[in-house]
Amino acid sequence: QVQLVESGGGLVQAGGSLRLSCAASGRTFSSVAMGWFRQTPGKEREFVAAIVWSPGTTGYADSVKGRFTISGDNAKNTIDLQMNSLQPEDTATYYCAAKKTLSQTSWGPNDYWGQGTQVTVSS
């Protein structure tokens, strides 16, 4: 099976920075896009950032534009999320996802997902 594992979460003061990483293991696979999502208990999963390998475009939620940067390596199916100027509202469990095909635009059960890493920002 395909496994995605997130790392880099932790506790940080408001205004601080964290860098999340997502690494793939298990069965070799190819993705067309990878992204980061976050979720707080009782709330819906929220899109954060994604990269589409061809043509290499990136997209961000309005709430993180200018503060977060996504990067990655298509050959290794890895992505990072550099998070700067963190605020308490960024507190969430962050999930890495990999999309196998662009035949559907939504992210869900047909995609690969990691187990999540907790990010907590204190004020």
Side-chain angles (χ1 to χ4, degrees):
Q1 67 274 21
V2 172
Q3 297 171 323
L4 299 178
V5 180
E6 304 94 336
S7 62
L11 174 64
V12 66
Q13 294 289 110
S17 298
L18 286 172
R19 187 176 182 88
L20 306 183
S21 296
C22 173
S25 64
R27 181 176 61 84
T28 301
F29 76 105
S30 296
S31 66
V32 296
M34 294 185 71
W36 290 96
F37 297 77
R38 64 188 183 187
Q39 188 169 24
T40 300
K43 298 183 66 177
E44 294 292 321
R45 182 182 63 211
E46 176 188 17
F47 168 79
V48 176
I51 180 167
V52 180
W53 298 122
S54 181
T57 56
T58 59
Y60 299 89
D62 288 342
S63 60
V64 307
K65 285 181 179 177
R67 300 189 297 121
F68 292 9
T69 302
I70 187 172
S71 60
D73 185 333
N74 186 20
K76 297 181 179 179
N77 285 315
T78 59
I79 53 170
D80 294 337
L81 185 68
Q82 179 64 47
M83 305 185 294
N84 297 326
S85 301
L86 284 162
Q87 301 299 315
E89 55 264 35
D90 297 315
T91 295
T93 300
Y94 283 71
Y95 296 91
C96 171
K99 184 171 286 294
K100 294 175 286 186
T101 175
L102 291 178
S103 62
Q104 51 90 27
T105 58
S106 63
W107 297 72
N110 290 331
D111 306 308
Y112 297 123
W113 293 87
Q115 83 292 339
T117 186
Q118 180 66 37
V119 172
T120 302
V121 184
S122 64
S123 59

